[in-house]
Amino acid sequence: MEDLLAADYPALDALAANPPTGLAARAGELYPDANEEERRRLGYLLDLLQADGILLDLLAQLRTAELLTSAVRRGLTVPAPVLDQLVKELGYPVPVIDALGLSGDRRRAKALGALLKDDELCGRAALALARLGAREWTVPIARRLSAFAGLKHVALTVALEEMGDPAAVPMLLDWLANGPDLPAGDVHRALVRLTGRSPLLSGDIRQAWAGLDLGAAPVTEVRCVVDSPYAVRFSVDEGRARVRVEYDPSLPGSMWPRWDQTLYVGERARYGVGSGCETCETVLSLLGFGPAEALAGAAQVREVLAAPRELTVETVQALEPLLGELETGHYRMLLADLPLERVRTAEESWWLRRVETRGEWGEDSFWPGIEHFQAPQVIPGEMPTYGSVVPAQPLDALDPATVSRYAGAIARGERPAALLLA
């Protein structure tokens, strides 16, 4: 610990993994007199140690943008006197805007609202206003939508979505009808969240919303096309979205208004699924299981899956009560044999065995946190795929009698199916 100022990042990682007594306090003592690079490393260590009290004490003492950025990234509420002094000394750079949004003080909304006129800061200010729940700024935020593309446009639509104010709906619809010819996916997501409606997109987003009667009750509809005995295409229109993947709330301190996503069943978060970034790997992280009791209609699903030989229109019809719980969208249903092996430890998992992806950071930390199954071989292709199947319930809670019944069916040559969502 005496060599803390000279420690590199791997050494700091090792220290934080098994911190000696007083490590965070010592880092806090060294920070004020450290040089710029040393402060960067000490701040990194304090972040790893989640030493929030020490971080806020240093911020009150030094009032730097770097410490404020760390506090914002930790989601901390900066004490009002310190925040007032930061505004006085620094003005309104991005970390101050984020901190105002985390303050919980609606009186900060007026200053943030004034920043909506600033082309560089308006997106960040809008997100901060949404975190404060300052709905009086919904319409001014929506009025700025047409001025921007790219990340600023995304930030404004995410802010309207997170504000949860129906007053934004007419303005979002007007943007679709009369706004600039820009990608409309984020406006679509905001409208789905704010209206509770979700039209099937078979073509242009603008046409889908223009033809939708928002005054009528939604009607869930499943349509299918059978391509072969083993492959069916189906669509869900106005899906009830009990089973869905949602973007997580925007993170203060991040340049990306949308990033991580979570798989939900009902209101329960089941798995974190990482970013939808096209260059990022898919990850799975257990967040929690739902109730062990099956929903009404599960017996019908079990009957359909008892020994399926092929996929037909009747198969889809029998599964409609379940398929209607999905999000609106276009899907494929496949009947396939998957060779799988059970994975009980992180070391057995593809998340740690993919040596070509470890790089300089050593072992990946993307372990789902639960025993699961995986394909024993890498699935080849332009981008290698590592097939993993994670459970909807803990594997150690499986009913032995049910397991025995299925094992007996398989031994007799039957092919009972498991239902997977991908």
Side-chain angles (χ1 to χ4, degrees):
M1 197 156 61
E2 292 305 316
D3 297 328
L4 201 53
L5 288 176
D8 59 14
Y9 288 101
L12 295 175
D13 290 334
L15 276 172
N18 188 22
T21 303
L23 177 62
R26 181 59 178 154
E29 291 170 1
L30 292 170
Y31 190 96
D33 296 323
N35 62 38
E36 183 178 352
E37 177 55 33
E38 290 167 345
R39 283 185 172 188
R40 189 176 295 115
R41 293 198 299 268
L42 290 169
Y44 174 79
L45 177 61
L46 289 170
D47 200 2
L48 289 177
L49 296 172
Q50 300 182 20
D52 296 345
I54 293 173
L55 185 60
L56 288 175
D57 287 344
L58 287 170
L59 180 61
Q61 176 186 348
L62 301 174
R63 295 187 300 280
T64 66
E66 292 74 22
L67 284 169
L68 182 59
T69 298
S70 295
V72 164
R73 195 165 51 241
R74 296 281 307 141
L76 302 181
T77 300
V78 177
V82 178
L83 191 50
D84 288 337
Q85 195 64 27
L86 284 163
V87 170
K88 183 178 179 181
E89 295 177 8
L90 303 179
Y92 292 96
V94 166
V96 171
I97 294 171
D98 288 341
L100 291 172
L102 290 168
S103 69
D105 185 355
R106 288 284 298 273
R107 292 172 298 181
R108 307 282 185 182
K110 183 176 180 181
L112 289 168
L115 297 176
L116 293 176
K117 298 176 182 179
D118 187 308
D119 286 353
E120 291 302 315
L121 300 176
C122 67
R124 214 56 173 255
L127 290 169
L129 286 164
R131 293 186 189 107
L132 290 176
R135 288 189 169 188
E136 66 272 22
W137 292 97
T138 295
V139 171
I141 291 171
R143 284 177 178 153
R144 293 292 272 148
L145 262 183
S146 295
F148 301 105
L151 283 178
K152 292 174 187 174
H153 170 83
V154 178
L156 292 168
T157 53
V158 170
L160 293 171
E161 187 178 315
E162 294 186 356
M163 192 79 83
D165 187 355
V169 170
M171 305 193 74
L172 291 170
L173 292 172
D174 181 71
W175 186 92
L176 289 178
N178 304 305
D181 185 18
L182 294 171
D186 287 286
V187 170
H188 168 72
R189 291 187 186 95
L191 282 169
V192 169
R193 179 73 66 87
L194 294 172
T195 66
R197 301 296 301 276
S198 183
L200 181 67
L201 303 179
S202 298
D204 184 69
I205 289 174
R206 291 168 169 80
Q207 291 178 355
W209 283 97
L212 187 66
D213 181 3
L214 288 176
V219 177
T220 301
E221 188 174 357
V222 178
R223 309 181 190 94
C224 76
V225 175
V226 177
D227 291 322
S228 79
Y230 310 105
V232 169
R233 285 173 287 140
F234 70 95
S235 63
V236 181
D237 193 0
E238 294 280 15
R240 291 183 286 274
R242 180 177 174 80
V243 181
R244 65 195 182 280
V245 174
E246 285 187 6
Y247 278 101
D248 294 350
S250 58
L251 288 174
S254 172
M255 66 176 290
W256 305 103
R258 298 192 192 275
W259 193 249
D260 285 335
Q261 302 169 91
T262 296
L263 169 67
Y264 287 85
V265 179
E267 298 310 309
R268 294 174 183 250
R270 298 298 181 88
Y271 283 92
V273 296
S275 167
C277 158
E278 292 182 357
T279 60
C280 299
E281 293 182 327
T282 299
V283 299
L284 292 166
S285 177
L286 177 67
L287 300 175
F289 290 119
E293 299 80 17
L295 293 175
Q300 174 180 312
V301 173
R302 291 195 188 99
E303 184 178 338
V304 174
L305 301 179
R309 300 295 180 183
E310 61 180 4
L311 299 177
T312 65
V313 172
E314 289 73 23
T315 308
V316 177
Q317 290 173 343
L319 292 174
E320 269 192 25
L322 177 61
L323 302 181
E325 301 293 339
L326 298 172
E327 297 176 273
T328 293
H330 302 274
Y331 296 86
R332 285 187 290 175
M333 183 185 299
L334 305 174
L335 184 60
D337 283 316
L338 297 179
L340 297 175
E341 60 185 11
R342 187 163 177 172
V343 179
R344 291 179 168 83
T345 67
E347 289 71 25
E348 298 174 278
S349 171
W350 281 124
W351 267 276
L352 292 188
R353 287 166 54 193
R354 308 162 303 163
V355 293
E356 66 270 29
T357 69
R358 291 183 187 176
E360 62 181 6
W361 293 101
E363 291 187 344
D364 272 318
S365 60
F366 298 137
W367 158 249
I370 186 70
E371 287 189 24
H372 58 279
F373 299 90
Q374 66 186 18
Q377 302 294 326
V378 177
I379 302 168
E382 181 180 350
M383 183 63 66
T385 301
Y386 304 83
S388 293
V389 177
V390 293
Q393 293 289 337
L395 295 180
D396 58 9
L398 295 176
D399 175 48
T402 303
V403 173
S404 178
R405 186 170 71 251
Y406 278 112
I410 293 170
R412 293 191 299 272
E414 298 175 19
R415 302 295 287 160
L419 191 63
L420 306 184
L421 172 69

